[in-house]
Amino acid sequence: MSLTQLKGGPRGDAGRPRSGGHNRTGRPSAALAVPGVLFFAFFALAPMALAFYLSFTKWNGLGDPEPAGLANWRKLLGDDRLTQSLTVTVSLTVVSWAFQTVVSLLLGVWAAGRQRNRAVLSAVFFVPFLLSSTAISLLFYALLDPNFGIIHKDTLGTTSGAFLAIVFVGGWQFIPFHTLIYQGGARQIPEVLYQAAAIDGAGRYRQFFSITLPQLRNTATTSSVLMIVGSLTYFETVLILTQGGPGTDTAILPYLMYQAGFKSYDFGYASAVASFLVLAATALSLLMVKLSGFGAMRSTREGM
């Protein structure tokens, strides 16, 4: 046998370099990404590009859009409703993030245990996420009805009651999803860290704050980005539960877009609001990733 054969040279299939000498063993083909890329381009990029184009036009939904230059954007920046809607949206986002993060983190860490009862309860907790936002909103709208609901007071008729109802209903639906994210992250934490902490005399609470929380920082970043972007796009819950009320106290930016497009038939202005939402959500997501250092994470294991 020659020296070339011993080194895995060109003789034999096992040592033969593929496609120009680059061994692609273990790498999936780029063709597998084509369906996902096409789906994203058709259902995400194309609608966003169309909305951005319509934001520079005047269009009532009939006929051809007429060029309007920056008129819609000037109207948006000078609209008093934008300031109020932006304030409500930011408040809803912050409170929803705090509520969902605390509950889903605790449930996720608890559900990461290996006991059978935890697996069963985790499956039960996940059920609300399988329901549509419309069905959940209709359910809670009936439950909060002052005449026939379980609470015999006009909860949705007060500013604080309507706001907290939106926060609770959104959390009831999406906390199971984020619980699953934290559960997966908690199970990736090496058990040896807890064993070493137990030897040093650290109790359960000390292990949680000194090991679990720091190890879940990248998981928390991922979950937070999804929460915040989702909170910025709340619509069905507000439309069904409060319709932006009482008055305009819960009229968030997506609801302002709905009013402009489907009540005033000003689709150019509605597209400007939609484009503003996309830009704000994208900028906020990139800022969170940058400040958290999430982009510098190289390990495939949580916290390592």
Side-chain angles (χ1 to χ4, degrees):
M1 182 179 293
S2 65
L3 182 61
T4 303
Q5 288 176 296
L6 290 174
K7 292 183 177 180
R11 295 184 182 181
D13 294 337
R16 184 177 300 165
R18 301 178 183 177
S19 59
H22 296 285
N23 189 353
R24 300 177 59 85
T25 302
R27 294 185 180 181
S29 173
L32 296 177
V34 173
V37 171
L38 292 177
F39 184 88
F40 180 76
F42 186 77
F43 290 100
L45 295 180
M48 286 191 293
L50 179 60
F52 190 71
Y53 162 73
L54 290 176
S55 68
F56 297 99
T57 65
K58 181 180 180 181
W59 189 44
N60 62 359
L62 300 175
D64 297 327
E66 301 177 1
L70 297 174
N72 291 319
W73 288 94
R74 285 194 293 265
K75 178 182 177 181
L76 175 64
L77 297 178
D79 195 345
D80 294 335
R81 295 178 300 172
L82 175 64
T83 304
Q84 182 187 15
S85 297
L86 190 59
T87 302
V88 175
T89 303
V90 171
S91 301
L92 180 65
T93 300
V94 172
V95 176
S96 297
W97 172 82
F99 172 58
Q100 295 184 31
T101 297
V102 172
V103 177
S104 59
L105 172 62
L106 295 177
L107 286 177
V109 173
W110 176 83
R114 303 296 179 179
Q115 293 88 343
R116 181 176 300 179
N117 65 324
R118 301 193 185 196
V120 174
L121 290 176
S122 297
V124 174
F125 290 159
F126 197 74
V127 171
F129 184 69
L130 303 178
L131 305 176
S132 69
S133 299
T134 303
I136 293 175
S137 299
L138 288 173
L139 171 64
F140 277 95
Y141 183 78
L143 292 175
L144 295 175
D145 186 276
N147 298 316
F148 306 102
I150 58 176
I151 301 177
H152 297 291
K153 59 185 298 185
D154 192 7
T155 304
L156 300 177
T158 62
T159 301
S160 58
F163 183 86
L164 293 177
I166 294 172
V167 172
F168 178 80
V169 173
W172 191 81
Q173 180 181 11
F174 293 109
I175 280 176
F177 173 71
H178 296 284
T179 296
L180 188 64
I181 294 178
Y182 281 109
Q183 180 186 19
R187 285 186 174 177
Q188 292 299 314
I189 300 176
E191 188 65 27
V192 66
L193 297 179
Y194 295 103
Q195 295 172 354
I199 293 175
D200 290 338
R204 180 176 300 178
Y205 294 102
R206 182 60 183 272
Q207 291 180 19
F208 176 79
F209 287 103
S210 299
I211 298 177
T212 306
L213 282 183
Q215 292 288 310
L216 291 177
R217 64 185 184 276
N218 295 308
T219 301
T221 301
T222 302
S223 175
S224 296
V225 170
L226 294 175
M227 284 183 190
I228 290 175
V229 173
S231 298
L232 290 175
T233 56
Y234 270 160
F235 175 69
E236 303 100 319
T237 305
V238 175
L239 177 65
I240 295 174
L241 282 183
T242 66
Q243 296 185 358
T248 58
D249 291 340
T250 58
I252 57 176
L253 283 174
Y255 190 78
L256 178 63
M257 175 186 65
Y258 163 78
Q259 285 183 315
F262 296 97
K263 288 190 174 182
S264 301
Y265 298 101
D266 190 353
F267 289 99
Y269 182 67
S271 298
V273 178
S275 300
F276 177 80
L277 264 174
V278 171
L279 294 175
T282 302
L284 188 58
S285 300
L286 294 177
L287 180 63
M288 289 183 59
V289 171
K290 180 68 175 179
L291 294 179
S292 64
F294 181 81
M297 184 185 69
R298 296 181 179 179
S299 174
T300 57
R301 296 196 66 181
E302 179 65 50
M304 299 297 288

